[in-house]
Amino acid sequence: GRAGATAVAAQVSRSAPPPQSTPAPQEWSLRRCTATLSDAPDGARDYAADWRNHGGGLEAEQCDAMAQMELGDVAGAATALDRLAHTPDWPAGAASGGQAAGAAGAVVDERAALPRRAALAEQAARAWQADDSPRQALDSAGYGLTLAPGSPTLRLVYARVAVELDQPARAIATLTPLPDAPAERDEALVARAGAWRRLGRIDQGMADINAALKDAPHDGAALLERGILYMRQGEMEAARADWQDVVTLAPDSDEADLA
């Protein structure tokens, strides 16, 4: 049997036409689509449209939504990203690149798609925040947490929006327990300190903010929040010193404007 197979292979090789010089088909991927997103969002959107015409499906729609964001259509991008997060039948293949398998109709196991959909929900929530639409942001982040309840970044986005909507107790519950990773923990501490302040519990807010500043003494968001807490305690010189540090450390930042 093996000898017969070898003979057939040799015959096919002899009878095959010579290689052609035609180019290989385009290898469509999300990575290629987003490679020039910040520099040429129009080009990324054209790529996404062409890819969609070649069966790109959901990944092409994701790239199109990200290009919309770069082009300034923030609400449109947020709407598209939220819809994609709610779509269960994502194509097989890594989200970071490689040839898309969506055109072949292959789908991953529903559980395997959950982290990807949660990341889309987080992107949608951040887009709604940029659009000054906190209620929609809370809905998108909340949905993302149903897909990935332990996601530190989703918990942080959800908590920040909850504080913005004057729901500090919900924010504190979402951020407790704190994340394990130091950077994520420090961000959560700053957000939780703001929530404690909204509840009038200044001492607990100060404990959280000092814990964050112990790890990251030059963090502008933490210094800004501590200055607000100092002001609430009537310590105006200490507040002014923290805010001046923010301006000195990052003069072009949003935190510096607030300081």
Side-chain angles (χ1 to χ4, degrees):
R2 185 173 300 168
T6 303
V8 170
Q11 182 179 357
V12 170
S13 177
R14 288 193 299 271
S15 62
Q20 301 297 310
S21 60
T22 55
Q26 170 101 23
E27 291 188 5
W28 305 97
S29 73
L30 187 60
R31 180 177 295 170
R32 284 173 179 261
C33 192
T34 58
T36 59
L37 195 59
S38 58
D39 296 328
D42 284 308
R45 197 157 196 203
D46 290 342
Y47 182 104
D50 199 12
W51 184 16
R52 194 162 52 238
N53 291 335
H54 286 80
L58 296 172
E59 286 186 319
E61 292 182 43
Q62 180 182 355
C63 183
D64 183 71
M66 295 165 73
Q68 277 183 276
M69 172 80 81
E70 290 290 333
L71 289 167
D73 183 7
V74 182
T79 301
L81 290 166
D82 187 73
R83 175 180 57 80
L84 291 169
H86 282 77
T87 305
D89 53 341
W90 273 86
S96 59
Q99 181 114 12
V107 294
V108 295
D109 181 87
E110 173 64 15
R111 289 169 298 178
L114 293 182
R116 188 174 195 176
R117 292 170 58 201
L120 285 164
E122 181 183 334
Q123 288 181 352
R126 292 183 186 277
W128 286 125
Q129 282 184 291
D131 189 55
D132 292 325
S133 302
R135 293 196 179 279
Q136 290 92 327
L138 194 73
D139 288 343
S140 290
Y143 178 71
L145 286 171
T146 68
L147 305 174
S151 168
T153 53
L154 266 169
R155 289 169 60 200
L156 185 62
V157 171
Y158 186 88
R160 284 174 172 163
V161 178
V163 170
E164 186 178 350
L165 290 170
D166 201 23
Q167 300 176 23
R170 175 177 287 189
I172 291 166
T174 302
L175 293 172
T176 307
L178 293 165
D180 293 327
E184 293 168 347
R185 177 178 176 274
D186 290 340
E187 284 192 87
L189 281 166
V190 175
R192 197 171 70 174
W196 287 125
R197 171 170 53 81
R198 289 289 188 100
L199 289 173
R201 294 161 74 169
I202 306 302
D203 289 344
Q204 285 171 284
M206 192 63 82
D208 274 357
I209 212 66
N210 283 331
L213 283 167
K214 183 178 180 181
D215 293 336
H218 303 302
D219 183 88
L223 287 167
L224 176 68
E225 178 61 41
R226 189 171 69 174
I228 299 171
L229 290 166
Y230 274 139
M231 183 184 69
R232 291 286 298 273
Q233 290 179 327
E235 299 182 39
M236 299 307 181
E237 289 301 322
R240 185 177 295 110
D242 273 349
W243 293 335
Q244 185 57 56
D245 284 345
V246 176
V247 174
T248 301
L249 289 166
D252 298 324
S253 66
D254 291 339
E255 289 81 7
D257 289 342
L258 292 169

